[in-house]
Amino acid sequence: MPLLKRKRDYARLVIIISGVLPLIIGIFFTALDARHTVRQQQVSAANTLLSQAERMSDSAWNMITELRQFQHQSCSQIENQLQRIGSLNPYFRAVGKMEENRIACSSAYGTKPGSLSDMIMRDAPVTGKAWWSLSIAGTAGVPDRPAVIFMRDLPDGEGFWAVIDGQYLIDFMRAISSTHLYHFSMEFNNGAPISFGDPQIALSGWFQPLIYQASSSRYPLSVTLIASPSELISAWRQVMLIIMPVAIIFSILLMMLMANWLQRRISWRDEIRRAIASGQFRAHYQPVYDNRQQRCSGAEALLRWTTPDGNGIRPDIFIGAAEAEGMIVPLTRHLLDLIAEDVQAWQVEPGFHLAINVAADHLQHPDFVDDMLHFADRVKDKQFLITLELTERSLIKDGVEVARKLEQLRGCGMKVAIDDFGTGHCSLSYLQTFTMDYLKIDRGFINAIESLEGRTPVLDAIIQLSHELELEVLGEGVESALQFSYLQRRGVVFIQGYYYARPMDNAALITWLARQGEQPVKANHASETHQTVSL
């Protein structure tokens, strides 16, 4: 009970974890998706702002190109035209002309001379270029509003400049931020930032803000966009409304499946024990055909489990569970008991092969030899040729001890067969290490007879190897006349499969042996044979 209770407690924990895990994964991926969504919105907003700034820069440089028509003209000649140009074109706060590194005239101040540093309220940058632009905190005329100056120096000491009002960019930032809580900051040539939004958004909330920076490929301007953590939370909430209901449904389904699987898994040991006690297991037998004697020369015992409600449990399921739960030895001993009871009613000749599958755990068990000798003693009046069928996995552990056990049983008249030959990784080494009598070719190689257009080099090699080692060969899983004839022509003595006979219970086997056991098989009479095996 304490062990079973621990298993049930473990099962509850696994079920809870299986239910919580999809929710955690859902939350994690919704967070990633929300972050991706906010990032895409930032990219779109930053690219839109950069495009607008590039268009304004294009206008500024086009304006300077237009102003070059006033080269070598005095300010008194161009004053009115400068004022007209400055007032009629959007974006511009002022345009003007430079002479000898001083402002000679402008649309805003007329012909009053002044220095460039006074107008932009800072020293002019040293760029070493005739073309340059710079974002500034303000101008002498409008000191509290940012702007961008564009300058073209000419070789003769003259130059032209244009100042774009930063308010246009700020208004554009405001329009973009109407649906999002962003903080924008734009710089031309690492100048003063042109900003919009609350810079404190980067400090609000438990989440880190998303910061995105982008630069123009055409001009020396960059933009930094900070998204408030509330933007991420809002996007996360929207995604969760879509994803989390699906995650919850999946979580519930996974918990149900896990609970069902664990219930079956944990209760296998008790279920098998109860099934043995209540007689739910039955031995079935699949006849084996002898090509030399042209009749049935043996049968393989197979265990079947039918529950009280009439449903059958697949052998690969309950045998695997029995191995995992430590019940395979009691289950095999129960099979031996069933066989010993069934064969009392058999009418077979001495030397009839009786094949029994041996599990790896039973083979390693200290009582294995005694179990098999006790079984042989119970059926000795039938003079069976008992064959122990072992898989390659059975021979992996304690090879020397296993070999000793098998030799002891062989000395008592039993035979040893290696089952499903060729499906493991060490078959050839086993043939050298252990003394074998029979080799059963796996059905996968038999099926290749029809799937490889008549070319089966691996199968042919196995058969030839068996002949060289003087081992009797049994082909299992034979299902067609073509497979039967192919094996028969290559000297395979024993044939087992649906083509000859299906597994059947004890009563059906007794009837079948009386009617069909002595009948030879003709490969060209497939339909007739299938009718006989259905009995």
Side-chain angles (χ1 to χ4, degrees), residues 35 38-39 42 201-211 226-233:
R35 189 178 183 86
V38 173
R39 176 64 75 193
Q42 286 182 290
I201 64 173
L203 305 176
S204 61
W206 293 350
F207 296 88
Q208 291 293 325
L210 292 181
I211 301 175
I226 302 176
S228 168
S230 62
E231 286 288 315
L232 180 61
I233 295 173

Side-chain angles (χ1 to χ4, degrees), residues 53-70 85 89-92 95 131 150-152 160-164 218-219:
E54 288 175 346
R55 285 194 294 270
M56 294 174 67
S57 298
D58 291 339
S59 299
W61 292 120
N62 290 336
M63 172 61 72
I64 290 177
T65 300
E66 182 180 351
L67 293 177
R68 289 196 62 180
Q69 64 179 307
F70 303 127
I85 291 173
N89 288 279
Y91 305 137
F92 295 98
V95 297
W131 299 75
F150 297 82
M151 177 64 70
R152 173 70 166 101
F160 295 92
W161 52 269
V163 175
I164 287 181
R218 298 172 54 204
Y219 297 112

